[in-house]
Amino acid sequence: MSKRRSELISQAFEAAVEVLGERSKRSLIEDLNYHNVDLNDPELNLQKLMNALKEILREEAAEMLIERMLIKLDEIESRGNRK
């Protein structure tokens, strides 16, 4: 896992949760920290993030957020490849 990849995952997460509003976003990040997921961790990976989201939000809500996050990740990576 490269540091760059973990940064992209973090960016995609941030973009995906924008729809929740600032207060909910901060609360979710605090919950992730409680589950030992740090968005600034250079070893952050999708599986760890997805598992924590499922613990926090339960299956259906987590899957919706994860799907949105994967779309954002794909968009970010596509923009980076065009440069």
Coordinates of all heavy atoms in Angstrom, one line a residue:
M1 N 0.9 -1.2 0.0 CA 0.0 0.0 0.0 C 0.9 1.2 0.0 O 1.7 1.4 0.9 CB -0.9 0.0 1.2 CG -1.7 1.2 1.5 SD -3.0 1.6 0.3 CE -4.2 0.3 0.7
S2 N 0.7 2.0 -1.0 CA 1.5 3.3 -1.0 C 0.8 4.4 -0.3 O -0.4 4.4 -0.1 CB 1.7 3.7 -2.5 OG 0.5 4.2 -3.0
K3 N 1.7 5.3 0.2 CA 1.1 6.5 0.9 C 0.2 7.2 0.0 O -0.9 7.7 0.4 CB 2.3 7.4 1.3 CG 1.9 8.6 2.1 CD 3.1 9.4 2.6 CE 2.7 10.5 3.6 NZ 2.2 11.7 2.9
R4 N 0.5 7.3 -1.3 CA -0.3 8.0 -2.3 C -1.7 7.4 -2.3 O -2.7 8.1 -2.4 CB 0.4 8.0 -3.7 CG -0.5 8.5 -4.8 CD -0.6 10.0 -4.8 NE -1.3 10.5 -5.9 CZ -2.3 11.4 -5.8 NH1 -2.5 12.0 -4.7 NH2 -2.9 11.8 -6.9
R5 N -1.8 6.0 -2.3 CA -3.1 5.3 -2.4 C -3.9 5.7 -1.2 O -5.1 5.9 -1.3 CB -2.8 3.8 -2.5 CG -4.1 3.0 -2.5 CD -4.8 3.1 -3.8 NE -5.9 2.2 -3.8 CZ -6.9 2.2 -4.6 NH1 -7.0 3.2 -5.6 NH2 -7.9 1.4 -4.6
S6 N -3.3 5.7 0.0 CA -4.0 6.0 1.2 C -4.6 7.4 1.2 O -5.7 7.7 1.7 CB -3.2 5.7 2.5 OG -2.1 6.6 2.5
E7 N -3.8 8.3 0.6 CA -4.3 9.7 0.5 C -5.5 9.8 -0.5 O -6.4 10.5 -0.2 CB -3.1 10.6 -0.1 CG -2.0 10.8 0.9 CD -0.8 11.6 0.3 OE1 -0.8 11.8 -0.9 OE2 0.1 11.9 1.1
L8 N -5.4 9.0 -1.5 CA -6.6 9.0 -2.5 C -7.8 8.4 -1.8 O -8.9 8.9 -2.0 CB -6.2 8.2 -3.7 CG -5.1 8.7 -4.6 CD1 -4.9 7.8 -5.8 CD2 -5.5 10.1 -5.1
I9 N -7.7 7.4 -1.0 CA -8.8 6.8 -0.3 C -9.4 7.8 0.7 O -10.6 8.0 0.7 CB -8.3 5.5 0.5 CG1 -8.0 4.4 -0.5 CG2 -9.4 5.1 1.5 CD1 -7.3 3.2 0.1
S10 N -8.5 8.5 1.4 CA -9.0 9.6 2.3 C -9.7 10.7 1.5 O -10.8 11.2 2.0 CB -7.8 10.2 3.1 OG -8.2 11.1 4.0
Q11 N -9.2 11.1 0.4 CA -9.8 12.2 -0.4 C -11.2 11.7 -0.9 O -12.2 12.4 -0.9 CB -9.0 12.5 -1.6 CG -7.8 13.3 -1.3 CD -6.9 13.5 -2.6 OE1 -7.4 13.4 -3.7 NE2 -5.7 13.9 -2.4
A12 N -11.3 10.4 -1.3 CA -12.6 9.9 -1.8 C -13.6 9.8 -0.7 O -14.8 10.1 -0.9 CB -12.3 8.5 -2.4
F13 N -13.1 9.4 0.5 CA -14.0 9.4 1.7 C -14.6 10.8 2.0 O -15.8 11.0 2.1 CB -13.3 8.8 2.9 CG -14.1 8.9 4.1 CD1 -15.0 7.9 4.4 CD2 -13.9 10.0 5.0 CE1 -15.8 8.0 5.6 CE2 -14.7 10.1 6.2 CZ -15.6 9.1 6.4
E14 N -13.7 11.8 2.0 CA -14.1 13.1 2.3 C -15.1 13.6 1.3 O -16.1 14.3 1.7 CB -12.8 14.1 2.3 CG -11.9 13.8 3.4 CD -12.2 14.5 4.7 OE1 -13.1 15.5 4.7 OE2 -11.7 14.2 5.7
A15 N -14.9 13.3 0.0 CA -15.8 13.7 -1.0 C -17.2 13.0 -0.9 O -18.2 13.6 -1.1 CB -15.2 13.5 -2.4
A16 N -17.1 11.8 -0.5 CA -18.3 11.0 -0.5 C -19.2 11.4 0.7 O -20.4 11.4 0.6 CB -18.0 9.5 -0.3
V17 N -18.6 11.8 1.8 CA -19.4 12.2 3.0 C -19.8 13.6 3.0 O -20.5 14.0 4.0 CB -18.7 11.8 4.3 CG1 -18.5 10.3 4.4 CG2 -17.4 12.5 4.5
E18 N -19.5 14.4 2.0 CA -19.9 15.8 2.0 C -21.4 15.9 2.0 O -21.9 16.9 2.6 CB -19.4 16.5 0.7 CG -17.9 16.9 0.7 CD -17.5 17.5 -0.6 OE1 -18.3 17.6 -1.5 OE2 -16.3 17.9 -0.6
V19 N -22.1 15.0 1.5 CA -23.6 15.0 1.5 C -24.2 14.9 2.9 O -25.3 15.3 3.1 CB -24.2 13.9 0.6 CG1 -23.8 14.0 -0.8 CG2 -23.9 12.5 1.2
L20 N -23.4 14.5 3.9 CA -23.9 14.3 5.2 C -23.9 15.6 6.0 O -24.6 15.7 7.0 CB -23.0 13.3 6.0 CG -22.9 11.9 5.4 CD1 -22.0 11.1 6.3 CD2 -24.3 11.3 5.4
G21 N -23.2 16.6 5.5 CA -23.1 17.9 6.3 C -21.9 17.8 7.2 O -21.4 16.7 7.6
E22 N -21.4 19.0 7.7 CA -20.2 19.1 8.4 C -20.3 18.3 9.8 O -19.4 17.6 10.2 CB -19.8 20.5 8.6 CG -18.4 20.7 9.1 CD -17.3 20.1 8.2 OE1 -17.5 20.2 7.0 OE2 -16.3 19.6 8.8
R23 N -21.4 18.6 10.5 CA -21.5 17.9 11.8 C -21.5 16.4 11.8 O -20.8 15.7 12.5 CB -22.8 18.4 12.5 CG -23.0 17.8 13.9 CD -24.2 18.4 14.6 NE -23.9 19.7 15.0 CZ -24.8 20.5 15.5 NH1 -26.1 20.2 15.5 NH2 -24.5 21.7 15.9
S24 N -22.3 15.9 10.8 CA -22.3 14.4 10.7 C -21.0 13.9 10.2 O -20.6 12.8 10.6 CB -23.5 14.0 9.7 OG -24.7 14.4 10.2
K25 N -20.4 14.6 9.3 CA -19.1 14.2 8.8 C -18.0 14.1 10.0 O -17.3 13.1 10.1 CB -18.6 15.2 7.8 CG -17.2 14.9 7.2 CD -16.8 16.0 6.2 CE -15.4 16.1 6.1 NZ -15.0 17.2 5.1
R26 N -18.0 15.1 10.8 CA -17.1 15.1 12.0 C -17.4 14.0 12.9 O -16.5 13.3 13.4 CB -17.2 16.4 12.7 CG -16.3 17.5 12.1 CD -16.1 18.7 13.0 NE -17.3 19.2 13.7 CZ -18.1 20.2 13.3 NH1 -17.7 20.8 12.2 NH2 -19.2 20.6 13.9
S27 N -18.7 13.7 13.1 CA -19.1 12.6 14.0 C -18.7 11.3 13.5 O -18.2 10.4 14.2 CB -20.6 12.7 14.2 OG -21.1 11.6 15.0
L28 N -18.8 11.1 12.2 CA -18.4 9.9 11.5 C -16.9 9.7 11.6 O -16.4 8.6 11.9 CB -18.9 9.8 10.1 CG -18.6 8.6 9.3 CD1 -19.1 7.3 10.0 CD2 -19.2 8.7 7.9
I29 N -16.1 10.7 11.4 CA -14.7 10.6 11.5 C -14.3 10.3 13.0 O -13.4 9.5 13.2 CB -14.0 11.9 11.0 CG1 -14.2 12.1 9.5 CG2 -12.6 12.0 11.4 CD1 -13.8 13.4 8.9
E30 N -15.0 10.9 14.0 CA -14.7 10.5 15.4 C -15.0 9.0 15.6 O -14.2 8.3 16.3 CB -15.5 11.4 16.3 CG -15.1 12.8 16.4 CD -16.0 13.7 17.3 OE1 -16.8 13.1 18.0 OE2 -15.8 14.9 17.2
D31 N -16.1 8.5 15.0 CA -16.5 7.1 15.2 C -15.4 6.2 14.5 O -15.0 5.2 15.0 CB -17.8 6.8 14.6 CG -19.0 7.4 15.5 OD1 -18.7 7.6 16.7 OD2 -20.1 7.5 14.9
L32 N -14.9 6.7 13.4 CA -13.8 5.9 12.7 C -12.6 5.9 13.6 O -12.0 4.8 13.7 CB -13.5 6.5 11.3 CG -14.5 6.3 10.2 CD1 -14.2 7.2 9.0 CD2 -14.6 4.8 9.8
N33 N -12.2 7.0 14.2 CA -11.1 7.0 15.1 C -11.3 6.0 16.2 O -10.4 5.3 16.6 CB -10.8 8.4 15.6 CG -10.3 9.3 14.5 OD1 -9.6 8.9 13.6 ND2 -10.5 10.6 14.7
Y34 N -12.5 6.0 16.8 CA -12.8 5.1 17.9 C -12.6 3.6 17.4 O -12.2 2.8 18.2 CB -14.3 5.3 18.3 CG -14.7 4.3 19.4 CD1 -14.3 4.6 20.7 CD2 -15.5 3.2 19.1 CE1 -14.7 3.7 21.7 CE2 -15.9 2.4 20.1 CZ -15.5 2.6 21.4 OH -15.9 1.7 22.4
H35 N -12.8 3.4 16.1 CA -12.6 2.0 15.5 C -11.2 1.9 15.0 O -11.0 1.0 14.1 CB -13.7 1.7 14.5 CG -15.0 1.4 15.0 ND1 -15.9 2.4 15.4 CD2 -15.6 0.2 15.2 CE1 -17.0 1.8 15.9 NE2 -16.9 0.5 15.8
N36 N -10.3 2.7 15.4 CA -8.9 2.6 15.0 C -8.7 2.9 13.5 O -7.8 2.3 12.9 CB -8.3 1.3 15.5 CG -8.3 1.2 17.0 OD1 -7.9 2.1 17.7 ND2 -8.7 0.0 17.5
V37 N -9.5 3.7 12.9 CA -9.3 4.1 11.5 C -9.0 5.6 11.5 O -9.8 6.4 11.9 CB -10.5 3.8 10.7 CG1 -10.3 4.3 9.2 CG2 -10.8 2.3 10.7
D38 N -7.8 5.9 11.1 CA -7.3 7.3 11.0 C -7.2 7.6 9.5 O -6.4 7.0 8.8 CB -5.9 7.4 11.7 CG -5.4 8.8 11.6 OD1 -6.0 9.7 11.0 OD2 -4.3 9.0 12.1
L39 N -7.9 8.6 9.0 CA -7.9 9.0 7.6 C -6.5 9.5 7.2 O -6.2 9.6 6.0 CB -9.0 10.0 7.3 CG -10.4 9.5 7.5 CD1 -11.4 10.6 7.3 CD2 -10.7 8.4 6.6
N40 N -5.7 9.9 8.1 CA -4.3 10.4 7.8 C -3.3 9.3 7.9 O -2.1 9.6 7.7 CB -4.0 11.5 8.7 CG -4.9 12.7 8.5 OD1 -5.2 13.1 7.4 ND2 -5.4 13.3 9.6
D41 N -3.7 8.1 8.2 CA -2.8 6.9 8.3 C -2.2 6.6 6.9 O -3.0 6.3 6.0 CB -3.5 5.8 8.9 CG -2.6 4.5 9.1 OD1 -1.4 4.5 8.7 OD2 -3.1 3.6 9.7
P42 N -0.9 6.6 6.8 CA -0.3 6.2 5.5 C -0.6 4.8 5.1 O -0.4 4.4 3.9 CB 1.2 6.5 5.6 CG 1.4 6.6 7.1 CD 0.1 7.0 7.7
E43 N -1.0 4.0 6.0 CA -1.4 2.5 5.8 C -2.9 2.3 5.6 O -3.3 1.2 5.6 CB -0.8 1.7 6.9 CG 0.7 1.7 7.1 CD 1.4 1.2 5.9 OE1 1.0 0.2 5.4 OE2 2.4 1.8 5.5
L44 N -3.6 3.4 5.5 CA -5.1 3.3 5.4 C -5.4 2.5 4.1 O -4.8 2.7 3.1 CB -5.7 4.7 5.2 CG -7.2 4.7 5.0 CD1 -8.0 4.2 6.2 CD2 -7.7 6.2 4.7
N45 N -6.3 1.5 4.3 CA -6.7 0.7 3.1 C -8.3 0.6 3.1 O -8.9 0.9 4.1 CB -6.1 -0.6 3.1 CG -6.5 -1.5 4.2 OD1 -7.6 -1.8 4.4 ND2 -5.5 -1.9 5.1
L46 N -8.8 0.3 1.9 CA -10.2 0.3 1.7 C -10.9 -0.7 2.6 O -11.9 -0.5 3.2 CB -10.5 0.0 0.3 CG -10.4 1.1 -0.7 CD1 -10.6 0.6 -2.1 CD2 -11.5 2.2 -0.4
Q47 N -10.3 -1.9 2.8 CA -10.9 -2.9 3.6 C -11.1 -2.5 5.0 O -12.2 -2.7 5.6 CB -10.1 -4.2 3.5 CG -10.9 -5.4 4.0 CD -12.1 -5.7 3.2 OE1 -12.1 -5.8 2.0 NE2 -13.3 -5.8 3.9
K48 N -10.1 -1.9 5.6 CA -10.2 -1.5 7.0 C -11.3 -0.4 7.1 O -12.1 -0.4 8.1 CB -8.8 -1.0 7.5 CG -8.8 -0.7 8.9 CD -7.4 -0.3 9.4 CE -7.4 0.0 10.9 NZ -6.0 0.3 11.4
L49 N -11.3 0.5 6.2 CA -12.3 1.6 6.2 C -13.7 1.0 6.0 O -14.6 1.4 6.8 CB -11.9 2.6 5.2 CG -12.9 3.8 5.0 CD1 -13.0 4.6 6.3 CD2 -12.4 4.8 3.9
M50 N -13.8 0.1 5.1 CA -15.2 -0.4 4.8 C -15.7 -1.2 6.0 O -16.8 -1.1 6.4 CB -15.1 -1.3 3.6 CG -15.0 -0.5 2.3 SD -15.2 -1.4 0.8 CE -13.7 -2.3 0.7
N51 N -14.8 -2.0 6.7 CA -15.2 -2.8 7.8 C -15.7 -1.9 9.0 O -16.7 -2.1 9.6 CB -14.0 -3.7 8.3 CG -13.8 -4.8 7.4 OD1 -14.6 -5.2 6.5 ND2 -12.6 -5.4 7.5
A52 N -14.9 -0.8 9.2 CA -15.3 0.1 10.3 C -16.6 0.8 9.9 O -17.5 1.0 10.8 CB -14.2 1.2 10.5
L53 N -16.8 1.2 8.7 CA -18.1 1.9 8.3 C -19.3 0.9 8.5 O -20.3 1.3 9.0 CB -18.0 2.3 6.8 CG -17.2 3.5 6.6 CD1 -17.0 3.8 5.1 CD2 -17.7 4.8 7.2
K54 N -19.1 -0.4 8.2 CA -20.2 -1.3 8.5 C -20.5 -1.5 9.9 O -21.6 -1.7 10.3 CB -19.8 -2.7 7.8 CG -19.9 -2.6 6.3 CD -19.5 -3.9 5.7 CE -19.6 -3.8 4.1 NZ -19.2 -5.0 3.5
E55 N -19.5 -1.4 10.8 CA -19.7 -1.5 12.2 C -20.4 -0.2 12.7 O -21.3 -0.3 13.6 CB -18.3 -1.5 13.0 CG -17.7 -2.9 12.9 CD -18.4 -3.9 13.7 OE1 -18.8 -3.6 14.9 OE2 -18.5 -5.0 13.2
I56 N -20.1 0.9 12.2 CA -20.7 2.2 12.6 C -22.1 2.4 12.1 O -23.0 2.7 12.8 CB -19.8 3.4 12.2 CG1 -18.4 3.3 12.9 CG2 -20.4 4.7 12.5 CD1 -17.3 4.1 12.3
L57 N -22.2 2.2 10.7 CA -23.5 2.5 10.1 C -24.4 1.3 9.8 O -25.5 1.5 9.4 CB -23.1 3.2 8.7 CG -22.3 4.4 8.8 CD1 -21.9 4.9 7.3 CD2 -23.1 5.6 9.4
R58 N -23.9 0.2 10.0 CA -24.6 -1.1 9.7 C -24.5 -1.3 8.1 O -24.1 -0.4 7.4 CB -26.0 -1.1 10.1 CG -26.2 -0.9 11.6 CD -25.6 -2.1 12.4 NE -25.7 -2.0 13.8 CZ -24.6 -1.9 14.6 NH1 -23.4 -2.0 14.1 NH2 -24.8 -1.8 15.9
E59 N -24.9 -2.4 7.7 CA -24.6 -2.9 6.4 C -25.1 -2.0 5.2 O -24.4 -1.6 4.4 CB -25.2 -4.3 6.2 CG -24.7 -5.1 5.0 CD -23.3 -5.7 5.1 OE1 -22.9 -5.9 6.3 OE2 -22.7 -5.9 4.1
E60 N -26.4 -1.8 5.2 CA -27.0 -1.1 4.1 C -26.5 0.4 3.9 O -26.2 0.8 2.8 CB -28.6 -1.1 4.2 CG -29.3 -0.7 2.9 CD -30.8 -0.8 3.0 OE1 -31.2 -1.8 3.6 OE2 -31.5 0.0 2.5
A61 N -26.5 1.1 5.0 CA -26.0 2.5 4.9 C -24.5 2.5 4.6 O -24.1 3.4 3.8 CB -26.3 3.2 6.2
A62 N -23.8 1.6 5.1 CA -22.3 1.6 4.9 C -22.1 1.3 3.4 O -21.3 1.9 2.7 CB -21.7 0.5 5.7
E63 N -22.9 0.3 2.8 CA -22.7 0.0 1.4 C -23.0 1.2 0.5 O -22.3 1.4 -0.5 CB -23.5 -1.2 1.1 CG -22.9 -2.5 1.7 CD -23.7 -3.8 1.3 OE1 -24.7 -3.7 0.6 OE2 -23.3 -4.8 1.8
M64 N -24.0 2.0 0.9 CA -24.3 3.1 0.0 C -23.2 4.1 0.1 O -22.8 4.7 -1.0 CB -25.6 3.8 0.5 CG -26.9 3.0 0.2 SD -28.4 3.6 0.8 CE -28.2 5.2 1.3
L65 N -22.6 4.4 1.3 CA -21.5 5.3 1.4 C -20.3 4.8 0.7 O -19.6 5.5 0.0 CB -21.3 5.6 2.9 CG -20.2 6.6 3.2 CD1 -20.5 8.0 2.5 CD2 -20.0 6.8 4.7
I66 N -20.0 3.5 0.9 CA -18.9 2.9 0.2 C -19.0 2.9 -1.3 O -18.0 3.3 -2.0 CB -18.7 1.4 0.7 CG1 -18.3 1.4 2.2 CG2 -17.7 0.6 -0.2 CD1 -18.5 0.0 2.8
E67 N -20.2 2.7 -1.8 CA -20.4 2.8 -3.3 C -20.1 4.2 -3.8 O -19.4 4.4 -4.7 CB -21.8 2.4 -3.6 CG -22.1 2.4 -5.1 CD -23.5 2.0 -5.5 OE1 -24.0 1.1 -4.8 OE2 -24.1 2.6 -6.4
R68 N -20.6 5.2 -3.0 CA -20.3 6.6 -3.4 C -18.8 6.9 -3.3 O -18.2 7.6 -4.1 CB -21.1 7.5 -2.4 CG -21.0 8.9 -2.7 CD -22.0 9.7 -1.8 NE -21.7 11.1 -1.9 CZ -22.2 11.9 -2.9 NH1 -22.9 11.4 -3.9 NH2 -21.9 13.2 -2.9
M69 N -18.1 6.3 -2.3 CA -16.7 6.6 -2.1 C -15.9 5.9 -3.2 O -15.0 6.5 -3.7 CB -16.3 6.0 -0.7 CG -14.9 6.3 -0.3 SD -14.4 5.6 1.2 CE -14.3 3.9 0.8
L70 N -16.3 4.8 -3.6 CA -15.6 4.1 -4.7 C -15.7 4.9 -6.0 O -14.8 5.0 -6.8 CB -16.1 2.6 -4.9 CG -15.7 1.7 -3.7 CD1 -16.3 0.3 -3.9 CD2 -14.2 1.6 -3.6
I71 N -16.9 5.4 -6.3 CA -17.1 6.3 -7.4 C -16.2 7.5 -7.4 O -15.6 7.9 -8.4 CB -18.6 6.7 -7.6 CG1 -19.4 5.5 -7.9 CG2 -18.8 7.8 -8.6 CD1 -20.9 5.7 -7.8
K72 N -16.1 8.1 -6.2 CA -15.3 9.3 -6.0 C -13.8 8.9 -6.2 O -13.0 9.6 -6.8 CB -15.5 9.9 -4.7 CG -16.8 10.5 -4.4 CD -17.1 11.7 -5.3 CE -18.4 12.3 -5.0 NZ -18.7 13.5 -5.9
L73 N -13.4 7.8 -5.7 CA -12.0 7.3 -5.8 C -11.7 7.1 -7.3 O -10.6 7.5 -7.8 CB -11.8 6.0 -5.0 CG -10.4 5.4 -5.0 CD1 -9.4 6.4 -4.5 CD2 -10.4 4.1 -4.3
D74 N -12.6 6.5 -8.0 CA -12.4 6.3 -9.5 C -12.3 7.6 -10.2 O -11.4 7.8 -11.1 CB -13.6 5.5 -10.1 CG -13.3 5.1 -11.5 OD1 -12.2 4.5 -11.8 OD2 -14.2 5.3 -12.3
E75 N -13.1 8.6 -9.8 CA -13.0 9.9 -10.5 C -11.7 10.6 -10.2 O -11.0 11.2 -11.1 CB -14.1 10.8 -9.9 CG -15.5 10.4 -10.4 CD -16.6 11.2 -9.7 OE1 -16.3 12.1 -8.9 OE2 -17.8 11.0 -10.0
I76 N -11.2 10.5 -8.9 CA -10.0 11.1 -8.5 C -8.8 10.4 -9.3 O -7.9 11.1 -9.8 CB -9.8 11.0 -7.0 CG1 -10.8 11.9 -6.3 CG2 -8.3 11.4 -6.6 CD1 -10.9 11.6 -4.8
E77 N -8.8 9.1 -9.3 CA -7.8 8.4 -10.0 C -7.8 8.7 -11.5 O -6.7 8.8 -12.1 CB -7.9 6.9 -9.8 CG -7.5 6.5 -8.3 CD -7.7 5.1 -8.0 OE1 -8.6 4.4 -8.6 OE2 -6.9 4.6 -7.2
S78 N -8.9 8.8 -12.1 CA -9.0 9.1 -13.5 C -8.5 10.5 -13.8 O -7.8 10.7 -14.8 CB -10.5 9.1 -14.0 OG -11.0 7.8 -13.9
R79 N -8.8 11.5 -13.0 CA -8.2 12.8 -13.2 C -6.7 12.8 -13.1 O -6.0 13.5 -13.8 CB -8.8 13.8 -12.1 CG -10.2 14.3 -12.4 CD -10.6 15.5 -11.6 NE -10.4 15.3 -10.2 CZ -11.3 14.9 -9.3 NH1 -12.5 14.8 -9.7 NH2 -11.0 14.8 -8.0
G80 N -6.2 12.0 -12.1 CA -4.7 11.9 -11.9 C -4.0 11.3 -13.1 O -2.9 11.6 -13.5
N81 N -4.7 10.3 -13.8 CA -4.1 9.6 -14.9 C -4.1 10.5 -16.2 O -3.4 10.2 -17.1 CB -4.8 8.3 -15.2 CG -4.5 7.3 -14.1 OD1 -3.5 7.3 -13.4 ND2 -5.5 6.4 -13.9
R82 N -5.0 11.5 -16.2 CA -5.1 12.3 -17.4 C -4.0 13.4 -17.4 O -3.8 14.1 -18.4 CB -6.4 13.0 -17.5 CG -7.5 12.0 -18.0 CD -8.8 12.7 -18.2 NE -9.4 13.0 -16.9 CZ -10.6 13.2 -16.6 NH1 -11.5 13.3 -17.6 NH2 -11.1 13.5 -15.4
K83 N -3.4 13.7 -16.3 CA -2.4 14.7 -16.2 C -1.1 14.3 -16.8 O -0.7 13.2 -17.0 CB -2.1 15.1 -14.7 CG -3.3 15.8 -14.1 CD -3.0 16.2 -12.7 CE -4.3 16.9 -12.1 NZ -4.1 17.2 -10.7

